[in-house]
Amino acid sequence: MHFIVNIFLLLVCASFSTAYFVTVDAHSEECFFEKVEQGTKLGLMFEISEGGFLDIDVKIIGPDDSIIHQGARETSGKYTFSAHASGVYTYCFSNQMSTMTPKVVMFNMEVGEAPSSDNKNDADHNKMEQMIKDLSAALTGVKHEQEYMSVRDRIHHGINEATNSRVVTWSIFEAVVLITMTVGQVYYLKRFFEVRRVV
């Protein structure tokens, strides 16, 4: 019975694992924290969905203030690592380089299970539990990929709309210039021949 409850909890956790959206204003930084035990597998996935050139500075800091990862002007990323020490790990998104454009960041922080110190004799039980964990991780990965694809689709849709509006604007401008030149040439030729007739 306890084993079935574990399976249910793992699948529920996988189904409710969702991405978060945060707006990082210009000249500001947003940080998030996760307290874990040593050896726990951690992961960060993010994508910039709106704002400026769709880039942001990212930093992952360990509990001893050591920098695990630092990236400048990144548009997306996926980083996985094991906690080298027990404590609070910090994930920061910095928009200090932007003068006035806020950035919208979609991100997800994954936390694996802490390493177990229990010695279990039931090999089949351990194998089945590991398979369930792998299935849970695979389901979570698929869900994250769907969310990222949705964000990318929205970004590309916005780019296409902006390009289409620029093409339409440029076409209208060209038509106006062409009509203006045509009217100007007709007016010029008309005046030219009127002057010739008077002479």
Side-chain angles (χ1 to χ4, degrees):
M1 183 66 179
H2 178 68
F3 180 65
I4 295 173
V5 170
N6 283 342
I7 294 173
F8 178 73
L9 288 176
L10 283 170
L11 292 177
V12 166
C13 288
S15 63
F16 283 103
S17 176
T18 57
Y20 301 99
F21 288 85
V22 63
T23 301
V24 185
D25 292 324
H27 299 296
S28 69
E29 183 177 64
E30 295 286 341
C31 292
F32 303 87
F33 309 93
E34 196 73 57
K35 186 175 183 179
V36 297
E37 297 296 323
Q38 182 177 0
T40 304
K41 189 176 179 182
L42 297 169
L44 172 68
M45 292 188 291
F46 70 93
E47 178 102 20
I48 313 305
S49 61
E50 292 179 28
F53 294 106
L54 301 176
D55 57 352
I56 203 161
D57 296 339
V58 182
K59 188 186 293 184
I60 303 174
I61 305 170
D64 53 354
D65 292 331
S66 62
I67 296 176
I68 297 168
H69 172 77
Q70 185 171 14
R73 298 183 179 273
E74 296 189 357
T75 57
S76 65
K78 183 185 289 188
Y79 307 103
T80 305
F81 60 96
S82 293
H84 63 276
S86 298
V88 177
Y89 287 77
T90 307
Y91 305 86
C92 292
F93 299 102
S94 174
N95 197 17
Q96 300 284 350
M97 77 286 199
S98 180
T99 54
M100 57 181 162
T101 307
K103 308 287 174 65
V104 177
V105 184
M106 183 192 81
F107 72 97
N108 183 274
M109 298 185 297
E110 290 184 353
V111 181
E113 285 192 13
S116 176
S117 58
D118 297 337
N119 293 323
K120 296 183 179 179
N121 297 326
D122 192 351
D124 291 337
H125 182 270
N126 287 343
K127 186 175 181 182
M128 182 65 78
E129 192 169 338
Q130 186 59 45
M131 289 173 65
I132 297 298
K133 288 178 183 177
D134 293 342
L135 178 61
S136 173
L139 287 173
T140 304
V142 169
K143 186 168 178 57
H144 292 328
E145 287 300 323
Q146 287 177 336
E147 289 167 348
Y148 283 121
M149 292 304 289
S150 175
V151 170
R152 288 189 183 112
D153 182 61
R154 194 169 67 207
I155 291 170
H156 291 305
H157 180 72
I159 293 171
N160 287 340
E161 289 295 322
T163 303
N164 288 341
S165 63
R166 286 183 185 139
V167 168
V168 170
T169 304
W170 181 252
S171 300
I172 292 171
F173 174 74
E174 284 184 328
V176 168
V177 169
L178 188 62
I179 291 170
T180 304
M181 289 181 63
T182 303
V183 170
Q185 286 177 349
V186 169
Y187 178 75
Y188 176 78
L189 288 173
K190 185 177 178 184
R191 287 202 52 183
F192 177 78
F193 285 115
E194 284 178 355
V195 171
R196 289 291 297 271
R197 244 183 265 135
V198 170
V199 171

